[in-house]
Amino acid sequence: MSRIYFDNSATTPCLPAVAEVVNTVLLDTYGNPSSMHRVGIEAEKVLKNARRQVAEALQVESKEIFFTSGGTEANNWAIWGTAQQRKGRGKHIITSSIEHASVLESVSRLAEDGFRISYLDTDQDGLVDPSQLQELLTPETILVSVMSVNNEVGSIQPVNELARIIKSSTPQAFFHVDAVQSFGKLLLRPKETGIDMLSISAHKAHGPKGVGALYIDRNVQLKALLVGGEQEVLQRAGTENVPGIAGLGKAAALAGARLDSNDSTLAKLKQKLLQGLRGLNKVHINGPGGDAAAPHIVNIWCEGVNRGEVLLHSLEAEDIYVSTGSACHSRRNEASHVLKSMGLSGDALTGAIRVSLSYLNTPQEIDIFLAKLKQIAAELRGLSR
């Protein structure tokens, strides 16, 4: 049996077409884009082309795309940069309790500096309530940061409604969306939605690691997070990762083409997975699961299996790879803050695993996974008696 990789929310395989672009730039277009000679200008053209490709995927202007080292830096920059730029207007920030650590730890640091942080609660499906946002907004609010898709349970937040509330009642507040998990899987148009800033990461969409981007609306001003150079129009210092950025551009173009063609591969794979899971005795789904969730993430738990890592390693022994939650917190021996915020307890909290798909997976892999899960869960229950 060949490897079955169902941990695509942690990272995705880099597509051969993307790797080819990265390799070509590494070997042939190695100049520094800031250099004034021809070799540098060739590298600058690579950046320009990638910026256009990412902008087209988001339906924004090229000059509104700023390259970063990944989704974490993009999130850090959006939050810290807004706080420093607008602290004279207010020091209130709103986020949700189930954000990625790059958001939660950013706002925690700002709280130490005197900012007031409000957290949106979530229901048992991991969804925020727009009416609570309405109640929390004040004239002092300068930023709302909410992810579009939760990375552990796949819940799709009502971003359109959140944006409408912010723009209608507190237009001075910026709206930042962490779209790392939704980019390439769901259509998200910042300008149509009313999003001021949006973070993406290449390696979550079949691109290379170490590169991402922050969309910043042309009317938004941020303090630079990294200083000491004039790259990215003085907004992000440091020599650009030209090969990685070229790969991001290619991955964005391919992802945009799949969305434009209404490729239903992911949705069909997930539907098959859900049907199979519902047919297994004592196997349950955390979160919305169905159409209310992203097309690539399913969080499950098995009655009588109280340690997700045991289930993970048992599947690993069969060459099947899943996760117990966010890869950024995989080495912590503590329950998921996302599942706790959803009010889960017992095996549903400590025994959960995340299955995350890509369009490269196959129906046959789903069948094998379901059979092995059934077998392993029964064996683990037997051991716990």
Side-chain angles (χ1 to χ4, degrees):
M1 185 178 75
S2 59
R3 172 187 295 176
I4 296 177
Y5 185 75
F6 283 170
D7 196 14
N8 291 283
S9 287
T11 193
T12 52
C14 188
L15 294 174
V18 173
E20 182 179 351
V21 168
V22 172
N23 193 49
T24 299
V25 174
L26 268 172
L27 297 176
D28 299 337
T29 320
Y30 46 79
N32 187 323
S34 297
S35 296
M36 296 180 68
H37 49 63
R38 187 167 64 247
V39 179
I41 292 172
E42 289 172 352
E44 186 180 21
K45 288 180 179 177
V46 172
L47 295 186
K48 184 177 180 181
N49 183 57
R51 208 181 306 277
R52 176 188 57 77
Q53 290 173 310
V54 175
E56 286 179 353
L58 294 173
Q59 295 289 293
V60 300
E61 298 177 41
S62 291
K63 65 183 180 182
E64 296 173 311
I65 299 298
F66 297 85
F67 296 118
T68 68
S69 62
T72 292
E73 183 191 326
N75 285 342
N76 283 188
W77 183 16
I79 294 167
W80 185 88
T82 299
Q84 300 308 314
Q85 183 74 32
R86 298 174 68 85
K87 58 188 177 184
R89 301 187 180 196
K91 302 185 79 172
H92 180 224
I93 295 173
I94 300 173
T95 188
S96 86
S97 58
I98 62 168
E99 296 298 308
H100 187 268
S102 57
V103 169
L104 293 176
E105 294 186 20
S106 290
V107 297
S108 292
R109 288 193 174 189
L110 290 172
E112 295 172 359
D113 293 334
F115 284 82
R116 185 168 68 88
I117 313 298
S118 297
Y119 297 89
L120 294 165
D121 300 323
T122 62
D123 63 16
Q124 61 182 7
D125 283 335
L127 294 167
V128 303
D129 181 357
S131 66
Q132 187 187 19
L133 174 64
Q134 182 77 71
E135 295 169 0
L136 290 174
L137 287 167
T138 77
E140 299 294 313
T141 305
I142 56 171
L143 175 67
V144 177
S145 180
V146 175
M147 60 188 2
S148 57
V149 167
N150 182 261
N151 55 315
E152 294 193 33
V153 298
S155 49
I156 302 174
Q157 301 301 342
V159 171
N160 288 357
E161 178 64 5
L162 299 178
R164 187 193 64 76
I165 291 171
I166 295 167
K167 298 307 174 187
S168 63
S169 63
T170 319
Q172 80 279 1
F174 290 160
F175 185 29
H176 166 247
V177 169
D178 172 359
V180 166
Q181 288 295 338
S182 61
F183 181 67
K185 286 92 174 178
L186 300 174
L187 275 178
L188 194 56
R189 305 288 191 235
K191 289 194 179 297
E192 294 175 11
T193 306
I195 296 169
D196 298 302
M197 295 171 283
L198 181 140
S199 304
I200 65 171
S201 174
H203 77 101
K204 308 288 189 180
H206 300 287
K209 296 174 180 60
V211 61
L214 179 64
Y215 156 75
I216 306 175
D217 184 273
R218 61 184 173 182
N219 296 314
V220 172
Q221 298 293 319
L222 292 185
K223 281 283 188 184
L225 182 64
L226 302 180
V227 296
E230 298 181 357
Q231 293 85 357
E232 297 295 283
V233 207
L234 291 168
Q235 291 298 296
R236 199 268 185 184
T239 302
E240 296 92 342
N241 172 9
V242 183
I245 289 170
L248 167 60
K250 183 66 175 180
L254 293 172
R258 286 194 298 275
L259 287 172
D260 289 343
S261 66
N262 294 314
D263 186 341
S264 60
T265 302
L266 260 183
K268 290 178 178 175
L269 287 171
K270 183 184 169 185
Q271 186 60 32
K272 179 176 177 61
L273 174 63
L274 289 174
Q275 287 177 347
L277 290 170
R278 287 168 181 147
L280 297 181
N281 189 34
K282 298 182 179 179
V283 176
H284 306 277
I285 296 169
N286 286 327
D291 293 338
H296 61 301
I297 299 176
V298 179
N299 191 294
I300 64 174
W301 62 282
C302 305
E303 283 184 44
V305 179
N306 61 9
R307 298 290 297 274
E309 61 270 28
V310 175
L311 188 53
L312 179 153
H313 289 305
S314 297
L315 288 165
E316 180 186 9
E318 301 291 341
D319 221 11
I320 299 172
Y321 300 89
V322 298
S323 73
T324 55
S326 171
C328 296
H329 277 165
S330 62
R331 300 186 190 282
R332 289 187 183 179
N333 187 25
E334 58 186 49
S336 157
H337 73 285
V338 174
L339 301 184
K340 286 195 287 189
S341 295
M342 292 163 59
L344 301 179
S345 60
D347 293 350
L349 176 63
T350 62
I353 60 170
R354 178 185 65 184
V355 181
S356 49
L357 309 170
S358 92
Y359 81 98
L360 298 176
N361 291 126
T362 66
Q364 291 73 28
E365 290 177 332
I366 301 281
D367 289 332
I368 295 170
F369 167 75
L370 290 168
K372 292 296 180 183
L373 178 67
K374 180 180 180 181
Q375 172 193 329
I376 291 169
E379 292 171 353
L380 293 176
R381 289 189 194 103
L383 291 175
S384 64
R385 288 174 185 164

